[in-house]
Amino acid sequence: MTSAKLPEQCETMTEVRAGVDQVDRELVALLVRRFGYMDAAARIKADRDAVRDEARKAEVLDNVTREAGAAGLEPERLRAVWNELVEQSIAYEAIEWDRLRTG
């Protein structure tokens, strides 16, 4: 597999799409790793009520908002994306927490 061109090097929509597809593959790999941490959290947390941690969620969203702004992206757009990611992560962790304790 060859590396896609950087966005500023693209001259055709085929090149743009190849780049987007490559980034999507990389994002999936990172999400696999992130959800692995949800597996670890489900294993470590003794209380199911600890699965939803609103203070931690706010911290994660604030971190992303700050990083997005520093990178020149729209902070609120990425905050909305991350809000969904965090909610899906919480739901996944809750299911994993239950699975680990009910066999």
Side-chain angles (χ1 to χ4, degrees):
M1 174 169 59
T2 60
S3 285
K5 291 183 175 184
L6 295 173
E8 59 274 8
Q9 297 170 332
C10 292
E11 296 177 1
T12 68
M13 283 308 300
T14 299
E15 293 169 343
V16 168
R17 290 176 181 141
V20 168
D21 291 347
Q22 180 176 326
V23 169
D24 287 347
R25 286 189 297 275
E26 294 168 6
L27 286 171
V28 167
L30 288 171
L31 289 170
V32 167
R33 183 173 162 201
R34 190 183 202 284
F35 276 77
Y37 288 111
M38 299 304 96
D39 290 336
R43 177 177 41 81
I44 293 166
K45 291 178 181 175
D47 184 356
R48 192 180 194 283
D49 289 340
V51 169
R52 177 170 286 281
D53 182 344
E54 290 297 330
R56 175 61 180 149
K57 177 182 174 183
E59 180 184 10
V60 169
L61 295 178
D62 289 346
N63 290 342
V64 166
T65 301
R66 187 175 46 259
E67 290 292 325
L73 298 173
E74 295 178 51
E76 291 308 313
R77 184 175 308 276
L78 259 63
R79 186 181 187 94
V81 169
W82 248 260
N83 185 66
E84 183 63 25
L85 174 59
V86 171
E87 285 299 321
Q88 291 300 323
S89 297
I90 292 167
Y92 175 88
E93 183 183 330
I95 290 167
E96 182 63 9
W97 195 96
D98 291 342
R99 186 192 69 75
L100 289 170
R101 282 148 186 91
T102 60

